Amino acid sequence: MPTPHVETAKIDELDCWRIRHNGAELMVAQQGAHIFSYGRDGEQPLIWPNPDAVFKQGKGIRTGVPVCWPWFGVFDRNPQSVKAMRQGDQPAGAHGFARTARWELAGTELEGEALRVDLVLPVPTGGFPGWPHLVDLRLSLLLDDQLHIRLTSHNRGTHTVTFSQALHTYFAVSDVRNVQVEGLDGSAYIDTADGWSTKQQFGLLHFTGETDRIYLDTPAQLSIIDNDWQRRIQLTSQGSKSTVIWNPWTERAKAFDDMADDGWTGMLCIETANVLDDVVSLAPGESHTLGVSIAGIAL
């Protein structure tokens, strides 16, 4: 559906959309409805521009905003209620199947000064392979002076469906060793890099090594403070009480074929999520929206 704001593009094997509105540009791959670039004219990018990202069919893109659904992370680490939804003996890839499925552009619309773009994931007859549930997915993107991302799941089946999910956002930072995350003081978290032990955050979060944490009962607003770039990336979440924060640091980054050995310095993942005790259960006819609004604010 061409509009003055949306044009098609091809990057290696993947069809994409370039969306421009009100001094901002957004790049989205049709595979996974995957935002892989976002920034405002004249400013540092808000999404990490990974030059080694791979745009291949069937492979997740390591940058931007992967849509993790209907499970998050390693399948076997999910609660039993999420695992029970899956059928079949085929291996369950990390982060579910939505991030490599082919989505469709459902429409674009101006809402006042904002541009709205809707993407949908069609449900095959009988449901998805190994996951035979009738849940419609819609990713709504709203561009004004911020980027608003809303992932809505609607259960149009006849039984309750339970899933975990995340908007697995890779943010661009000047140097992760010099930034802090504000808003987590007092929050409990699971430190998956330290044997899944339970700990508590005190003060600002600083980064001095590999970080892979699931924060519990997190507030709706968090910020990345980046003094070198003189900005705050402010995140306002919706429909989420859990937040995953990740940076692979030196050794894990070297194991990735789609990230430079020093790529970890310029990125930080803060993932708006529904995981562990925060998973979503939808009775027939119910819907749930997971969302995050992203704003770059000068310090």
Side-chain angles (χ1 to χ4, degrees):
M1 185 179 298
T3 77
H5 307 276
V6 180
E7 62 182 41
T8 58
K10 185 96 171 183
I11 299 181
D12 198 359
E13 296 181 1
L14 300 187
D15 294 320
C16 305
W17 296 288
R18 177 179 287 106
I19 303 163
R20 284 200 58 83
H21 181 69
N22 194 28
E25 181 174 282
L26 190 65
M27 293 289 294
V28 183
Q30 185 168 12
Q31 176 175 280
H34 190 131
I35 298 165
F36 61 89
S37 175
Y38 169 61
R40 302 193 62 82
D41 294 346
E43 299 178 8
Q44 296 286 357
L46 286 154
I47 293 297
W48 175 51
N50 178 12
D52 295 284
V54 175
F55 291 79
K56 300 290 186 184
Q57 292 184 13
K59 180 175 174 59
I61 307 169
R62 192 180 298 283
T63 191
V65 191
V67 175
C68 304
W69 188 96
W71 60 83
F72 174 80
V74 176
F75 179 74
D76 285 341
R77 281 288 188 179
N78 281 265
Q80 183 57 38
S81 58
V82 173
K83 293 192 288 185
M85 295 291 101
R86 192 169 179 275
Q87 300 178 11
D89 299 324
Q90 294 299 314
H95 295 316
F97 51 79
R99 66 178 183 147
T100 54
R102 188 173 177 86
W103 293 58
E104 294 179 356
L105 180 62
T108 63
E109 183 179 358
L110 284 171
E111 297 184 354
E113 297 298 314
L115 174 68
R116 175 172 172 161
V117 178
D118 286 324
L119 302 152
V120 296
L121 179 61
V123 180
T125 301
F128 295 95
W131 205 84
H133 310 292
L134 298 179
V135 178
D136 292 329
L137 272 189
R138 177 177 294 264
L139 189 74
S140 296
L141 310 176
L142 193 71
L143 269 174
D144 47 27
D145 58 346
Q146 303 182 39
L147 171 61
H148 309 273
I149 307 170
R150 302 287 182 265
L151 178 66
T152 299
S153 305
H154 173 69
N155 182 7
R156 58 182 177 87
T158 58
H159 60 272
T160 296
V161 176
T162 301
F163 53 88
S164 60
Q165 59 181 345
L167 299 169
H168 189 313
T169 313
Y170 289 74
F171 291 101
V173 296
S174 59
D175 189 320
V176 72
R177 294 165 291 191
N178 299 330
V179 304
Q180 301 86 40
V181 176
E182 179 183 73
L184 292 168
D185 185 28
S187 295
Y189 65 90
I190 307 297
D191 191 342
T192 72
D194 186 20
W196 288 70
S197 54
T198 301
K199 301 178 181 179
Q200 187 172 12
Q201 179 68 41
F202 294 101
L204 297 173
L205 172 58
H206 300 258
F207 298 90
T208 58
E210 180 184 347
T211 303
D212 195 353
R213 301 178 178 182
I214 303 171
Y215 282 84
L216 311 171
D217 295 317
T218 49
Q221 188 166 291
L222 302 174
S223 293
I224 302 171
I225 310 300
D226 193 335
N227 287 305
D228 289 352
W229 280 355
Q230 284 295 289
R231 79 171 179 193
R232 168 195 301 268
I233 302 178
Q234 184 172 285
L235 313 177
T236 305
S237 66
Q238 171 188 350
S240 165
K241 294 181 181 179
S242 48
T243 303
V244 181
I245 299 185
W246 178 71
N247 183 281
W249 221 253
T250 53
E251 294 309 308
R252 285 199 65 191
K254 290 177 182 177
F256 297 140
D257 60 5
D258 52 1
M259 178 189 287
D261 287 355
D262 63 352
W264 60 273
T265 62
M267 54 74 65
L268 175 63
C269 282
I270 298 186
E271 308 165 34
T272 305
N274 295 118
V275 296
L276 299 181
D277 291 341
D278 185 34
V279 298
V280 177
S281 288
L282 295 180
E286 288 186 339
S287 297
H288 176 270
T289 297
L290 172 69
V292 63
S293 296
I294 301 168
I297 301 170
L299 291 177

